[in-house]
């Protein structure tokens, strides 16, 4: 909403163009914006993280009762519904949230397989896309959904970088004492692959940390899959 507003905007445009009604989850009047709690959890502030998670589940309750999917864009945030939420909280609403939570591309791939997603995209002017997977996408074995979703764009050949962690890992890559380790991790596979890609190759990464690392280490701008799909909507779908 504030740091990279083009990503939720693009996701909304794609889903609306495909005929879905999109609800934006907001905090109660006067409250801080909702958060998954990962920022607190990564700093070891477990009680603060649990409080944020609880606030989020409460806000989601009306949607969970109606079996509305929870669609998220950032892998570390969205996939925490299936992992940390289930470990730190209890209750039927928490379990329901874990089952309902889907990454943007997971939702599209699932809807496509079910025959409910028939949005057509224009042929890409890029012949190739280089895809880097976020660590949470890899650990939850959901890379297949983003690869499948990108095949909906005609003429786009997708190559997934056989990389491990980008090295940024939240705030890890910003620390003076961990910077060198962060860059060494990125140099194992990700950054060399991005540097070797020509200027016509799309660089795609769902994680904001990953995109930051790519920008810093290879001076290339990577895009979220939602932005890539939005950019390939036919003009009639954008109206």
């Amino acid at each position: 909403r504030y740091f990279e507003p083009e990503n939720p905007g693009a996701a909304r445009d794609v889903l609306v163009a495909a005929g879905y009604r999109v609800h934006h989850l907001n905090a109660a009047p006067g409250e801080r914006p909702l958060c998954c709690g990962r920022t607190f959890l990564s700093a070891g502030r477990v009680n603060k993280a649990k409080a944020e998670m609880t606030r989020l589940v409460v806000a989601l309750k009306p949607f969970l009762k109606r079996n509305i999917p929870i669609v998220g864009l950032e892998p570390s945030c969205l996939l925490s519904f299936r992992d940390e939420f289930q470990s730190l909280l209890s209750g039927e609403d928490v379990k329901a949230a874990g089952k309902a939570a889907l990454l943007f591309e997971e939702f599209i791939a699932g809807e496509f397989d079910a025959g409910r997603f028939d949005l057509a995209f224009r042929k890409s002017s890029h012949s190739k896309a280089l895809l880097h997977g976020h660590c949470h996408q890899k650990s939850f074995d959901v890379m297949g959904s983003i690869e499948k979703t990108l095949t909906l764009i005609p003429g786009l050949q997708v190559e997934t970088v056989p990389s491990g962690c980008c090295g940024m890992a939240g705030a890890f890559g910003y620390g003076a004492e961990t910077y060198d380790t962060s860059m060494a991790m990125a140099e194992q596979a990700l950054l060399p692959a991005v540097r070797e890609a020509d200027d016509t190759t799309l660089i795609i990464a769902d994680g904001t940390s990953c995109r930051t690392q790519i920008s810093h280490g290879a001076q290339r701008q990577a895009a979220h899959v939602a932005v890539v799909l939005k950019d390939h909507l036919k003009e009639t779908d954008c109206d």
Side-chain angles (χ1 to χ4, degrees):
R1 179 176 298 176
Y2 298 109
F3 292 109
E4 297 177 305
E6 67 276 10
N7 294 337
R12 177 198 60 229
D13 290 347
V14 170
L15 293 174
V16 169
Y20 297 95
R21 182 180 178 186
V22 179
H23 302 268
H24 294 274
L25 188 65
N26 295 307
E31 286 192 5
R32 295 185 299 104
L34 295 167
C35 174
C36 70
R38 179 166 293 283
T39 48
F40 287 116
L41 197 60
S42 64
R45 302 178 70 181
V46 178
N47 288 335
K48 283 282 191 180
K50 289 172 69 174
E52 291 301 308
M53 293 174 180
T54 300
R55 269 201 327 136
L56 186 50
V57 171
V58 170
L60 284 168
K61 191 171 182 176
F63 300 95
L64 296 173
K65 286 184 175 180
R66 296 164 60 189
N67 295 317
I68 295 176
I70 303 166
V71 178
L73 303 179
E74 178 66 30
S76 62
C77 294
L78 186 283
L79 293 171
S80 64
F81 280 96
R82 302 184 199 169
D83 190 358
E84 289 87 353
F85 274 61
Q86 306 305 314
S87 300
L88 297 175
L89 304 180
S90 60
E92 292 304 314
D93 290 337
V94 175
K95 294 178 182 178
K99 293 178 181 178
L102 296 166
L103 285 170
F104 172 76
E105 60 270 17
E106 282 188 290
F107 176 77
I108 289 179
E111 291 293 284
F112 179 79
D113 286 344
R116 293 188 292 265
F117 190 93
D118 59 358
L119 184 62
F121 296 91
R122 63 175 176 81
K123 185 176 181 180
S124 181
S125 58
H126 304 270
S127 60
K128 184 178 178 181
L130 195 63
L131 172 65
H132 168 71
H134 188 284
C135 287
H136 285 82
Q137 287 172 299
K138 295 167 186 172
S139 63
F140 280 82
D141 194 25
V142 294
M143 283 298 294
S145 61
I146 189 171
E147 292 166 341
K148 176 181 286 189
T149 298
L150 288 169
T151 65
L152 299 177
I153 301 175
L156 186 64
Q157 178 187 351
V158 180
E159 176 185 343
T160 301
V161 182
S163 55
C165 179
C166 73
M168 182 59 77
F172 184 82
Y174 288 98
E177 70 282 5
T178 51
Y179 175 80
D180 289 341
T181 302
S182 168
M183 294 307 298
M185 294 167 69
E187 292 290 354
Q188 288 184 331
L190 175 58
L191 294 184
V194 173
R195 293 192 194 104
E196 291 173 6
D198 61 38
D199 292 339
T200 64
T201 298
L202 276 174
I203 310 298
I204 303 173
D206 270 6
T208 184
S209 293
C210 306
R211 293 191 296 273
T212 300
Q213 188 78 311
I214 290 168
S215 175
H216 171 72
Q219 290 73 55
R220 291 288 297 271
Q221 297 303 310
H224 191 283
V225 64
V227 173
V228 176
L229 292 185
K230 164 67 183 302
D231 289 345
H232 287 83
L233 283 176
K234 293 184 177 180
E235 290 185 5
T236 53
D237 296 322
C238 297
D239 296 337

